[in-house]
Amino acid sequence: MAKEKNDANALLAKKKKVKPRKSRDADCCSVNFLKCVLHIFNVIYLFAGAGVLLVGAWTVTSRHRFVSLLPTFTYQAIAYLLILAGALGLPLCALGCCGLKTENRTSLLCYTYFLLITFILEAGAGGLAYYYQVEVEHELRSQLNKTFISNYALDTDVTNAVDTMQTEFKCCGAVRYDDWRKSVWHEHDPRLLVPESCCKTPTSRCGARDHPSNIYYNGCIDHFTNHIRDNLIILAAVGVGMSVIPIFGFFFSCILYVRIKHVID
């Protein structure tokens, strides 16, 4: 009799230690509420990812015409990080929707990890862009003139980039127009003082006359530095601004991952 009483007491104590399961709508952070929030988040995240992807693609396609003149690959790396982060948007939303529909904790866990990776990519790209827009002026002032003097007419990408820059920004040389007289290109044909792209009205061999009525006298370095810095500020704003969005998804998916374990149908 005493044995049966002890067994009953042990069973009662064991039941008291078991945490009771909650229903789906037990409180304000119920499973159904969290699923609804994450479905809305997925729609927002999909559009945000598409925006980040477009900004990265726009940078590569229309803003990379001068990258051969940059001394490092930081600018390109920032653009490709944003493209990668934006490209994760569609598959990640699909994974999240599947996990929400089936309430599969493994899918939700993968979804959570990928949201964290997206946050790191976007925040990293934004932070790198912010840091580089401060450093790029120093890099260009120490390297751009050397690039003009040493590589023009020898490197096709550099030549095209320099000609495009001088035509678009209406400038000549890195610091001044007479920088060209120290270049390898000038040594090849000393009669030409500046490239044709320096001329206000480009024509064949127009660079043989360096009168201010014929060519631009101001250098390109200030225009080019401002151009790159403006683009980097845009990339920094997009990267840091959009990195806030995955944090919300990460937070709610973590809560849902834990809640699913403690619900009953």
Side-chain angles (χ1 to χ4, degrees), residues 109-146:
L109 187 61
C110 293
Y111 175 68
T112 304
Y113 281 139
F114 276 110
L115 283 175
L116 181 60
I117 291 171
T118 303
F119 164 76
I120 293 172
L121 289 173
E122 292 178 346
L128 189 60
Y130 179 79
Y131 167 78
Y132 190 55
Q133 65 93 17
V134 176
E135 294 295 319
V136 70
E137 182 174 1
H138 173 71
E139 286 188 2
L140 289 176
R141 290 198 179 278
S142 62
Q143 296 292 329
L144 186 61
N145 195 32
K146 182 180 177 182

PDB file of all heavy atoms in Angstrom, residues 109-146:
ATOM      1  N   LEU A 109      14.769  27.061 -39.339  1.00  0.00           N
ATOM      2  CA  LEU A 109      16.124  27.308 -38.858  1.00  0.00           C
ATOM      3  C   LEU A 109      17.032  27.753 -40.000  1.00  0.00           C
ATOM      4  O   LEU A 109      17.820  28.699 -39.852  1.00  0.00           O
ATOM      5  CB  LEU A 109      16.677  26.037 -38.203  1.00  0.00           C
ATOM      6  CG  LEU A 109      18.030  26.170 -37.501  1.00  0.00           C
ATOM      7  CD1 LEU A 109      17.947  27.179 -36.366  1.00  0.00           C
ATOM      8  CD2 LEU A 109      18.497  24.815 -36.981  1.00  0.00           C
ATOM      9  N   CYS A 110      16.928  27.071 -41.152  1.00  0.00           N
ATOM     10  CA  CYS A 110      17.706  27.490 -42.328  1.00  0.00           C
ATOM     11  C   CYS A 110      17.316  28.902 -42.756  1.00  0.00           C
ATOM     12  O   CYS A 110      18.186  29.718 -43.103  1.00  0.00           O
ATOM     13  CB  CYS A 110      17.478  26.502 -43.477  1.00  0.00           C
ATOM     14  SG  CYS A 110      18.138  24.855 -43.189  1.00  0.00           S
ATOM     15  N   TYR A 111      16.026  29.182 -42.736  1.00  0.00           N
ATOM     16  CA  TYR A 111      15.520  30.509 -43.092  1.00  0.00           C
ATOM     17  C   TYR A 111      16.130  31.581 -42.178  1.00  0.00           C
ATOM     18  O   TYR A 111      16.573  32.649 -42.630  1.00  0.00           O
ATOM     19  CB  TYR A 111      14.001  30.475 -42.967  1.00  0.00           C
ATOM     20  CG  TYR A 111      13.283  31.787 -43.181  1.00  0.00           C
ATOM     21  CD1 TYR A 111      13.242  32.386 -44.428  1.00  0.00           C
ATOM     22  CD2 TYR A 111      12.614  32.415 -42.130  1.00  0.00           C
ATOM     23  CE1 TYR A 111      12.554  33.573 -44.635  1.00  0.00           C
ATOM     24  CE2 TYR A 111      11.918  33.592 -42.320  1.00  0.00           C
ATOM     25  CZ  TYR A 111      11.897  34.171 -43.569  1.00  0.00           C
ATOM     26  OH  TYR A 111      11.223  35.349 -43.770  1.00  0.00           O
ATOM     27  N   THR A 112      16.187  31.266 -40.888  1.00  0.00           N
ATOM     28  CA  THR A 112      16.750  32.205 -39.911  1.00  0.00           C
ATOM     29  C   THR A 112      18.230  32.458 -40.165  1.00  0.00           C
ATOM     30  O   THR A 112      18.703  33.597 -40.128  1.00  0.00           O
ATOM     31  CB  THR A 112      16.550  31.658 -38.484  1.00  0.00           C
ATOM     32  OG1 THR A 112      15.160  31.408 -38.267  1.00  0.00           O
ATOM     33  CG2 THR A 112      17.051  32.650 -37.455  1.00  0.00           C
ATOM     34  N   TYR A 113      18.973  31.389 -40.447  1.00  0.00           N
ATOM     35  CA  TYR A 113      20.402  31.530 -40.714  1.00  0.00           C
ATOM     36  C   TYR A 113      20.661  32.367 -41.966  1.00  0.00           C
ATOM     37  O   TYR A 113      21.562  33.212 -41.991  1.00  0.00           O
ATOM     38  CB  TYR A 113      21.051  30.157 -40.867  1.00  0.00           C
ATOM     39  CG  TYR A 113      21.332  29.456 -39.562  1.00  0.00           C
ATOM     40  CD1 TYR A 113      21.111  28.093 -39.408  1.00  0.00           C
ATOM     41  CD2 TYR A 113      21.823  30.156 -38.469  1.00  0.00           C
ATOM     42  CE1 TYR A 113      21.363  27.441 -38.203  1.00  0.00           C
ATOM     43  CE2 TYR A 113      22.075  29.519 -37.262  1.00  0.00           C
ATOM     44  CZ  TYR A 113      21.848  28.168 -37.136  1.00  0.00           C
ATOM     45  OH  TYR A 113      22.106  27.534 -35.949  1.00  0.00           O
ATOM     46  N   PHE A 114      19.869  32.145 -42.997  1.00  0.00           N
ATOM     47  CA  PHE A 114      20.068  32.895 -44.243  1.00  0.00           C
ATOM     48  C   PHE A 114      19.683  34.364 -44.070  1.00  0.00           C
ATOM     49  O   PHE A 114      20.270  35.241 -44.716  1.00  0.00           O
ATOM     50  CB  PHE A 114      19.287  32.264 -45.389  1.00  0.00           C
ATOM     51  CG  PHE A 114      20.008  31.123 -46.045  1.00  0.00           C
ATOM     52  CD1 PHE A 114      19.556  29.822 -45.904  1.00  0.00           C
ATOM     53  CD2 PHE A 114      21.149  31.356 -46.803  1.00  0.00           C
ATOM     54  CE1 PHE A 114      20.242  28.763 -46.504  1.00  0.00           C
ATOM     55  CE2 PHE A 114      21.838  30.318 -47.401  1.00  0.00           C
ATOM     56  CZ  PHE A 114      21.386  29.017 -47.247  1.00  0.00           C
ATOM     57  N   LEU A 115      18.712  34.645 -43.225  1.00  0.00           N
ATOM     58  CA  LEU A 115      18.402  36.046 -42.909  1.00  0.00           C
ATOM     59  C   LEU A 115      19.591  36.720 -42.232  1.00  0.00           C
ATOM     60  O   LEU A 115      19.916  37.875 -42.515  1.00  0.00           O
ATOM     61  CB  LEU A 115      17.174  36.131 -41.997  1.00  0.00           C
ATOM     62  CG  LEU A 115      15.814  35.936 -42.661  1.00  0.00           C
ATOM     63  CD1 LEU A 115      14.719  35.915 -41.607  1.00  0.00           C
ATOM     64  CD2 LEU A 115      15.527  37.028 -43.681  1.00  0.00           C
ATOM     65  N   LEU A 116      20.246  35.979 -41.363  1.00  0.00           N
ATOM     66  CA  LEU A 116      21.435  36.511 -40.702  1.00  0.00           C
ATOM     67  C   LEU A 116      22.552  36.761 -41.707  1.00  0.00           C
ATOM     68  O   LEU A 116      23.247  37.796 -41.642  1.00  0.00           O
ATOM     69  CB  LEU A 116      21.903  35.539 -39.613  1.00  0.00           C
ATOM     70  CG  LEU A 116      23.129  35.961 -38.801  1.00  0.00           C
ATOM     71  CD1 LEU A 116      22.868  37.276 -38.075  1.00  0.00           C
ATOM     72  CD2 LEU A 116      23.513  34.870 -37.815  1.00  0.00           C
ATOM     73  N   ILE A 117      22.728  35.834 -42.650  1.00  0.00           N
ATOM     74  CA  ILE A 117      23.753  36.007 -43.691  1.00  0.00           C
ATOM     75  C   ILE A 117      23.446  37.225 -44.552  1.00  0.00           C
ATOM     76  O   ILE A 117      24.341  38.018 -44.887  1.00  0.00           O
ATOM     77  CB  ILE A 117      23.843  34.739 -44.561  1.00  0.00           C
ATOM     78  CG1 ILE A 117      24.427  33.578 -43.745  1.00  0.00           C
ATOM     79  CG2 ILE A 117      24.696  34.984 -45.802  1.00  0.00           C
ATOM     80  CD1 ILE A 117      24.366  32.241 -44.451  1.00  0.00           C
ATOM     81  N   THR A 118      22.168  37.410 -44.895  1.00  0.00           N
ATOM     82  CA  THR A 118      21.769  38.579 -45.690  1.00  0.00           C
ATOM     83  C   THR A 118      22.073  39.874 -44.941  1.00  0.00           C
ATOM     84  O   THR A 118      22.568  40.843 -45.526  1.00  0.00           O
ATOM     85  CB  THR A 118      20.269  38.507 -46.015  1.00  0.00           C
ATOM     86  OG1 THR A 118      19.987  37.290 -46.689  1.00  0.00           O
ATOM     87  CG2 THR A 118      19.866  39.675 -46.910  1.00  0.00           C
ATOM     88  N   PHE A 119      21.764  39.881 -43.658  1.00  0.00           N
ATOM     89  CA  PHE A 119      22.071  41.061 -42.833  1.00  0.00           C
ATOM     90  C   PHE A 119      23.571  41.361 -42.864  1.00  0.00           C
ATOM     91  O   PHE A 119      23.980  42.522 -43.024  1.00  0.00           O
ATOM     92  CB  PHE A 119      21.611  40.830 -41.397  1.00  0.00           C
ATOM     93  CG  PHE A 119      22.220  41.791 -40.414  1.00  0.00           C
ATOM     94  CD1 PHE A 119      21.771  43.098 -40.344  1.00  0.00           C
ATOM     95  CD2 PHE A 119      23.258  41.393 -39.578  1.00  0.00           C
ATOM     96  CE1 PHE A 119      22.341  44.001 -39.453  1.00  0.00           C
ATOM     97  CE2 PHE A 119      23.833  42.280 -38.684  1.00  0.00           C
ATOM     98  CZ  PHE A 119      23.366  43.587 -38.616  1.00  0.00           C
ATOM     99  N   ILE A 120      24.396  40.334 -42.725  1.00  0.00           N
ATOM    100  CA  ILE A 120      25.852  40.530 -42.719  1.00  0.00           C
ATOM    101  C   ILE A 120      26.326  41.072 -44.065  1.00  0.00           C
ATOM    102  O   ILE A 120      27.166  41.978 -44.128  1.00  0.00           O
ATOM    103  CB  ILE A 120      26.564  39.206 -42.383  1.00  0.00           C
ATOM    104  CG1 ILE A 120      26.262  38.803 -40.932  1.00  0.00           C
ATOM    105  CG2 ILE A 120      28.070  39.322 -42.586  1.00  0.00           C
ATOM    106  CD1 ILE A 120      26.755  37.424 -40.559  1.00  0.00           C
ATOM    107  N   LEU A 121      25.783  40.536 -45.171  1.00  0.00           N
ATOM    108  CA  LEU A 121      26.185  40.991 -46.505  1.00  0.00           C
ATOM    109  C   LEU A 121      25.823  42.462 -46.721  1.00  0.00           C
ATOM    110  O   LEU A 121      26.648  43.259 -47.186  1.00  0.00           O
ATOM    111  CB  LEU A 121      25.521  40.123 -47.576  1.00  0.00           C
ATOM    112  CG  LEU A 121      26.022  38.691 -47.731  1.00  0.00           C
ATOM    113  CD1 LEU A 121      25.147  37.930 -48.714  1.00  0.00           C
ATOM    114  CD2 LEU A 121      27.480  38.675 -48.196  1.00  0.00           C
ATOM    115  N   GLU A 122      24.587  42.812 -46.390  1.00  0.00           N
ATOM    116  CA  GLU A 122      24.126  44.182 -46.632  1.00  0.00           C
ATOM    117  C   GLU A 122      24.808  45.181 -45.692  1.00  0.00           C
ATOM    118  O   GLU A 122      25.244  46.254 -46.130  1.00  0.00           O
ATOM    119  CB  GLU A 122      22.609  44.252 -46.470  1.00  0.00           C
ATOM    120  CG  GLU A 122      21.857  43.505 -47.556  1.00  0.00           C
ATOM    121  CD  GLU A 122      20.360  43.526 -47.382  1.00  0.00           C
ATOM    122  OE1 GLU A 122      19.897  43.893 -46.286  1.00  0.00           O
ATOM    123  OE2 GLU A 122      19.648  43.161 -48.326  1.00  0.00           O
ATOM    124  N   ALA A 123      24.898  44.826 -44.422  1.00  0.00           N
ATOM    125  CA  ALA A 123      25.562  45.720 -43.478  1.00  0.00           C
ATOM    126  C   ALA A 123      27.048  45.840 -43.796  1.00  0.00           C
ATOM    127  O   ALA A 123      27.636  46.930 -43.701  1.00  0.00           O
ATOM    128  CB  ALA A 123      25.371  45.211 -42.048  1.00  0.00           C
ATOM    129  N   GLY A 124      27.663  44.729 -44.221  1.00  0.00           N
ATOM    130  CA  GLY A 124      29.078  44.767 -44.597  1.00  0.00           C
ATOM    131  C   GLY A 124      29.309  45.645 -45.811  1.00  0.00           C
ATOM    132  O   GLY A 124      30.256  46.443 -45.842  1.00  0.00           O
ATOM    133  N   ALA A 125      28.442  45.499 -46.826  1.00  0.00           N
ATOM    134  CA  ALA A 125      28.575  46.331 -48.025  1.00  0.00           C
ATOM    135  C   ALA A 125      28.368  47.802 -47.702  1.00  0.00           C
ATOM    136  O   ALA A 125      29.113  48.674 -48.168  1.00  0.00           O
ATOM    137  CB  ALA A 125      27.571  45.876 -49.087  1.00  0.00           C
ATOM    138  N   GLY A 126      27.354  48.108 -46.885  1.00  0.00           N
ATOM    139  CA  GLY A 126      27.095  49.496 -46.517  1.00  0.00           C
ATOM    140  C   GLY A 126      28.220  50.100 -45.697  1.00  0.00           C
ATOM    141  O   GLY A 126      28.643  51.234 -45.937  1.00  0.00           O
ATOM    142  N   GLY A 127      28.720  49.336 -44.733  1.00  0.00           N
ATOM    143  CA  GLY A 127      29.827  49.830 -43.913  1.00  0.00           C
ATOM    144  C   GLY A 127      31.092  50.029 -44.720  1.00  0.00           C
ATOM    145  O   GLY A 127      31.821  51.016 -44.536  1.00  0.00           O
ATOM    146  N   LEU A 128      31.349  49.098 -45.626  1.00  0.00           N
ATOM    147  CA  LEU A 128      32.538  49.206 -46.479  1.00  0.00           C
ATOM    148  C   LEU A 128      32.434  50.413 -47.402  1.00  0.00           C
ATOM    149  O   LEU A 128      33.426  51.133 -47.627  1.00  0.00           O
ATOM    150  CB  LEU A 128      32.708  47.930 -47.290  1.00  0.00           C
ATOM    151  CG  LEU A 128      34.003  47.761 -48.094  1.00  0.00           C
ATOM    152  CD1 LEU A 128      35.213  47.794 -47.177  1.00  0.00           C
ATOM    153  CD2 LEU A 128      33.968  46.447 -48.875  1.00  0.00           C
ATOM    154  N   ALA A 129      31.242  50.655 -47.943  1.00  0.00           N
ATOM    155  CA  ALA A 129      31.040  51.819 -48.811  1.00  0.00           C
ATOM    156  C   ALA A 129      31.235  53.120 -48.040  1.00  0.00           C
ATOM    157  O   ALA A 129      31.845  54.068 -48.553  1.00  0.00           O
ATOM    158  CB  ALA A 129      29.635  51.777 -49.418  1.00  0.00           C
ATOM    159  N   TYR A 130      30.734  53.161 -46.812  1.00  0.00           N
ATOM    160  CA  TYR A 130      30.903  54.366 -45.990  1.00  0.00           C
ATOM    161  C   TYR A 130      32.381  54.609 -45.688  1.00  0.00           C
ATOM    162  O   TYR A 130      32.868  55.744 -45.767  1.00  0.00           O
ATOM    163  CB  TYR A 130      30.111  54.220 -44.703  1.00  0.00           C
ATOM    164  CG  TYR A 130      30.256  55.415 -43.778  1.00  0.00           C
ATOM    165  CD1 TYR A 130      29.538  56.592 -44.020  1.00  0.00           C
ATOM    166  CD2 TYR A 130      31.121  55.370 -42.691  1.00  0.00           C
ATOM    167  CE1 TYR A 130      29.681  57.693 -43.187  1.00  0.00           C
ATOM    168  CE2 TYR A 130      31.275  56.466 -41.860  1.00  0.00           C
ATOM    169  CZ  TYR A 130      30.553  57.621 -42.110  1.00  0.00           C
ATOM    170  OH  TYR A 130      30.711  58.706 -41.289  1.00  0.00           O
ATOM    171  N   TYR A 131      33.090  53.551 -45.354  1.00  0.00           N
ATOM    172  CA  TYR A 131      34.519  53.691 -45.049  1.00  0.00           C
ATOM    173  C   TYR A 131      35.305  54.090 -46.295  1.00  0.00           C
ATOM    174  O   TYR A 131      36.165  54.985 -46.246  1.00  0.00           O
ATOM    175  CB  TYR A 131      35.052  52.365 -44.507  1.00  0.00           C
ATOM    176  CG  TYR A 131      36.559  52.293 -44.449  1.00  0.00           C
ATOM    177  CD1 TYR A 131      37.277  52.928 -43.431  1.00  0.00           C
ATOM    178  CD2 TYR A 131      37.286  51.606 -45.427  1.00  0.00           C
ATOM    179  CE1 TYR A 131      38.664  52.865 -43.381  1.00  0.00           C
ATOM    180  CE2 TYR A 131      38.670  51.543 -45.385  1.00  0.00           C
ATOM    181  CZ  TYR A 131      39.350  52.168 -44.363  1.00  0.00           C
ATOM    182  OH  TYR A 131      40.719  52.121 -44.329  1.00  0.00           O
ATOM    183  N   TYR A 132      34.978  53.486 -47.433  1.00  0.00           N
ATOM    184  CA  TYR A 132      35.763  53.720 -48.646  1.00  0.00           C
ATOM    185  C   TYR A 132      35.524  55.107 -49.220  1.00  0.00           C
ATOM    186  O   TYR A 132      36.426  55.683 -49.842  1.00  0.00           O
ATOM    187  CB  TYR A 132      35.443  52.654 -49.682  1.00  0.00           C
ATOM    188  CG  TYR A 132      36.370  52.665 -50.877  1.00  0.00           C
ATOM    189  CD1 TYR A 132      37.743  52.574 -50.707  1.00  0.00           C
ATOM    190  CD2 TYR A 132      35.873  52.761 -52.171  1.00  0.00           C
ATOM    191  CE1 TYR A 132      38.604  52.582 -51.791  1.00  0.00           C
ATOM    192  CE2 TYR A 132      36.725  52.772 -53.263  1.00  0.00           C
ATOM    193  CZ  TYR A 132      38.082  52.681 -53.064  1.00  0.00           C
ATOM    194  OH  TYR A 132      38.933  52.694 -54.153  1.00  0.00           O
ATOM    195  N   GLN A 133      34.339  55.672 -49.016  1.00  0.00           N
ATOM    196  CA  GLN A 133      34.095  57.019 -49.558  1.00  0.00           C
ATOM    197  C   GLN A 133      34.945  58.059 -48.845  1.00  0.00           C
ATOM    198  O   GLN A 133      35.147  59.149 -49.348  1.00  0.00           O
ATOM    199  CB  GLN A 133      32.599  57.357 -49.499  1.00  0.00           C
ATOM    200  CG  GLN A 133      32.009  57.470 -48.115  1.00  0.00           C
ATOM    201  CD  GLN A 133      32.019  58.887 -47.579  1.00  0.00           C
ATOM    202  OE1 GLN A 133      32.168  59.839 -48.340  1.00  0.00           O
ATOM    203  NE2 GLN A 133      31.867  59.037 -46.272  1.00  0.00           N
ATOM    204  N   VAL A 134      35.457  57.733 -47.664  1.00  0.00           N
ATOM    205  CA  VAL A 134      36.387  58.620 -46.975  1.00  0.00           C
ATOM    206  C   VAL A 134      37.807  58.419 -47.504  1.00  0.00           C
ATOM    207  O   VAL A 134      38.572  59.372 -47.670  1.00  0.00           O
ATOM    208  CB  VAL A 134      36.350  58.365 -45.452  1.00  0.00           C
ATOM    209  CG1 VAL A 134      37.379  59.226 -44.728  1.00  0.00           C
ATOM    210  CG2 VAL A 134      34.950  58.633 -44.904  1.00  0.00           C
ATOM    211  N   GLU A 135      38.152  57.170 -47.808  1.00  0.00           N
ATOM    212  CA  GLU A 135      39.515  56.839 -48.207  1.00  0.00           C
ATOM    213  C   GLU A 135      39.786  57.046 -49.698  1.00  0.00           C
ATOM    214  O   GLU A 135      40.935  57.199 -50.107  1.00  0.00           O
ATOM    215  CB  GLU A 135      39.809  55.370 -47.870  1.00  0.00           C
ATOM    216  CG  GLU A 135      39.815  55.064 -46.383  1.00  0.00           C
ATOM    217  CD  GLU A 135      40.938  55.781 -45.662  1.00  0.00           C
ATOM    218  OE1 GLU A 135      42.061  55.830 -46.214  1.00  0.00           O
ATOM    219  OE2 GLU A 135      40.689  56.306 -44.559  1.00  0.00           O
ATOM    220  N   VAL A 136      38.734  57.035 -50.515  1.00  0.00           N
ATOM    221  CA  VAL A 136      38.943  57.026 -51.963  1.00  0.00           C
ATOM    222  C   VAL A 136      39.650  58.293 -52.449  1.00  0.00           C
ATOM    223  O   VAL A 136      40.446  58.243 -53.403  1.00  0.00           O
ATOM    224  CB  VAL A 136      37.599  56.830 -52.697  1.00  0.00           C
ATOM    225  CG1 VAL A 136      36.700  58.048 -52.574  1.00  0.00           C
ATOM    226  CG2 VAL A 136      37.831  56.482 -54.169  1.00  0.00           C
ATOM    227  N   GLU A 137      39.389  59.434 -51.825  1.00  0.00           N
ATOM    228  CA  GLU A 137      40.035  60.673 -52.260  1.00  0.00           C
ATOM    229  C   GLU A 137      41.555  60.582 -52.089  1.00  0.00           C
ATOM    230  O   GLU A 137      42.313  60.976 -52.978  1.00  0.00           O
ATOM    231  CB  GLU A 137      39.493  61.859 -51.478  1.00  0.00           C
ATOM    232  CG  GLU A 137      40.099  63.190 -51.912  1.00  0.00           C
ATOM    233  CD  GLU A 137      39.456  64.381 -51.234  1.00  0.00           C
ATOM    234  OE1 GLU A 137      38.536  64.180 -50.409  1.00  0.00           O
ATOM    235  OE2 GLU A 137      39.879  65.510 -51.529  1.00  0.00           O
ATOM    236  N   HIS A 138      41.982  60.062 -50.961  1.00  0.00           N
ATOM    237  CA  HIS A 138      43.422  59.914 -50.727  1.00  0.00           C
ATOM    238  C   HIS A 138      44.039  58.950 -51.734  1.00  0.00           C
ATOM    239  O   HIS A 138      45.134  59.211 -52.272  1.00  0.00           O
ATOM    240  CB  HIS A 138      43.656  59.412 -49.299  1.00  0.00           C
ATOM    241  CG  HIS A 138      45.092  59.071 -49.008  1.00  0.00           C
ATOM    242  ND1 HIS A 138      46.076  60.030 -48.875  1.00  0.00           N
ATOM    243  CD2 HIS A 138      45.707  57.857 -48.865  1.00  0.00           C
ATOM    244  CE1 HIS A 138      47.238  59.437 -48.648  1.00  0.00           C
ATOM    245  NE2 HIS A 138      47.044  58.130 -48.633  1.00  0.00           N
ATOM    246  N   GLU A 139      43.359  57.846 -52.014  1.00  0.00           N
ATOM    247  CA  GLU A 139      43.871  56.867 -52.969  1.00  0.00           C
ATOM    248  C   GLU A 139      44.010  57.469 -54.359  1.00  0.00           C
ATOM    249  O   GLU A 139      45.021  57.267 -55.045  1.00  0.00           O
ATOM    250  CB  GLU A 139      42.957  55.640 -53.019  1.00  0.00           C
ATOM    251  CG  GLU A 139      43.061  54.731 -51.817  1.00  0.00           C
ATOM    252  CD  GLU A 139      42.281  53.453 -52.019  1.00  0.00           C
ATOM    253  OE1 GLU A 139      41.695  53.276 -53.114  1.00  0.00           O
ATOM    254  OE2 GLU A 139      42.253  52.623 -51.091  1.00  0.00           O
ATOM    255  N   LEU A 140      42.981  58.209 -54.776  1.00  0.00           N
ATOM    256  CA  LEU A 140      43.008  58.772 -56.126  1.00  0.00           C
ATOM    257  C   LEU A 140      44.074  59.856 -56.264  1.00  0.00           C
ATOM    258  O   LEU A 140      44.751  59.941 -57.295  1.00  0.00           O
ATOM    259  CB  LEU A 140      41.632  59.333 -56.481  1.00  0.00           C
ATOM    260  CG  LEU A 140      40.535  58.294 -56.718  1.00  0.00           C
ATOM    261  CD1 LEU A 140      39.199  58.970 -56.977  1.00  0.00           C
ATOM    262  CD2 LEU A 140      40.891  57.389 -57.896  1.00  0.00           C
ATOM    263  N   ARG A 141      44.248  60.661 -55.251  1.00  0.00           N
ATOM    264  CA  ARG A 141      45.245  61.722 -55.341  1.00  0.00           C
ATOM    265  C   ARG A 141      46.666  61.158 -55.398  1.00  0.00           C
ATOM    266  O   ARG A 141      47.568  61.786 -55.951  1.00  0.00           O
ATOM    267  CB  ARG A 141      45.099  62.689 -54.160  1.00  0.00           C
ATOM    268  CG  ARG A 141      43.833  63.518 -54.244  1.00  0.00           C
ATOM    269  CD  ARG A 141      43.859  64.737 -53.369  1.00  0.00           C
ATOM    270  NE  ARG A 141      42.615  65.503 -53.502  1.00  0.00           N
ATOM    271  CZ  ARG A 141      42.362  66.359 -54.477  1.00  0.00           C
ATOM    272  NH1 ARG A 141      43.276  66.573 -55.418  1.00  0.00           N
ATOM    273  NH2 ARG A 141      41.211  67.001 -54.541  1.00  0.00           N
ATOM    274  N   SER A 142      46.860  59.976 -54.842  1.00  0.00           N
ATOM    275  CA  SER A 142      48.198  59.382 -54.859  1.00  0.00           C
ATOM    276  C   SER A 142      48.435  58.470 -56.065  1.00  0.00           C
ATOM    277  O   SER A 142      49.581  58.212 -56.431  1.00  0.00           O
ATOM    278  CB  SER A 142      48.426  58.581 -53.571  1.00  0.00           C
ATOM    279  OG  SER A 142      47.508  57.520 -53.465  1.00  0.00           O
ATOM    280  N   GLN A 143      47.342  58.000 -56.721  1.00  0.00           N
ATOM    281  CA  GLN A 143      47.508  56.994 -57.770  1.00  0.00           C
ATOM    282  C   GLN A 143      46.977  57.392 -59.145  1.00  0.00           C
ATOM    283  O   GLN A 143      47.449  56.862 -60.158  1.00  0.00           O
ATOM    284  CB  GLN A 143      46.794  55.688 -57.350  1.00  0.00           C
ATOM    285  CG  GLN A 143      47.379  55.018 -56.121  1.00  0.00           C
ATOM    286  CD  GLN A 143      48.769  54.462 -56.375  1.00  0.00           C
ATOM    287  OE1 GLN A 143      49.099  54.054 -57.489  1.00  0.00           O
ATOM    288  NE2 GLN A 143      49.600  54.436 -55.342  1.00  0.00           N
ATOM    289  N   LEU A 144      46.012  58.298 -59.210  1.00  0.00           N
ATOM    290  CA  LEU A 144      45.353  58.564 -60.485  1.00  0.00           C
ATOM    291  C   LEU A 144      46.309  59.136 -61.519  1.00  0.00           C
ATOM    292  O   LEU A 144      46.312  58.721 -62.685  1.00  0.00           O
ATOM    293  CB  LEU A 144      44.164  59.515 -60.288  1.00  0.00           C
ATOM    294  CG  LEU A 144      43.303  59.750 -61.534  1.00  0.00           C
ATOM    295  CD1 LEU A 144      42.682  58.452 -62.012  1.00  0.00           C
ATOM    296  CD2 LEU A 144      42.207  60.772 -61.246  1.00  0.00           C
ATOM    297  N   ASN A 145      47.144  60.092 -61.126  1.00  0.00           N
ATOM    298  CA  ASN A 145      48.084  60.689 -62.070  1.00  0.00           C
ATOM    299  C   ASN A 145      49.050  59.635 -62.623  1.00  0.00           C
ATOM    300  O   ASN A 145      49.379  59.638 -63.810  1.00  0.00           O
ATOM    301  CB  ASN A 145      48.850  61.819 -61.392  1.00  0.00           C
ATOM    302  CG  ASN A 145      49.552  62.702 -62.400  1.00  0.00           C
ATOM    303  OD1 ASN A 145      49.067  62.880 -63.525  1.00  0.00           O
ATOM    304  ND2 ASN A 145      50.689  63.264 -62.029  1.00  0.00           N
ATOM    305  N   LYS A 146      49.482  58.733 -61.759  1.00  0.00           N
ATOM    306  CA  LYS A 146      50.374  57.659 -62.183  1.00  0.00           C
ATOM    307  C   LYS A 146      49.690  56.752 -63.204  1.00  0.00           C
ATOM    308  O   LYS A 146      50.306  56.308 -64.183  1.00  0.00           O
ATOM    309  CB  LYS A 146      50.817  56.853 -60.968  1.00  0.00           C
ATOM    310  CG  LYS A 146      51.780  55.730 -61.285  1.00  0.00           C
ATOM    311  CD  LYS A 146      52.177  54.983 -60.027  1.00  0.00           C
ATOM    312  CE  LYS A 146      53.092  53.807 -60.354  1.00  0.00           C
ATOM    313  NZ  LYS A 146      53.457  53.043 -59.126  1.00  0.00           N
TER     314      LYS A 146
END
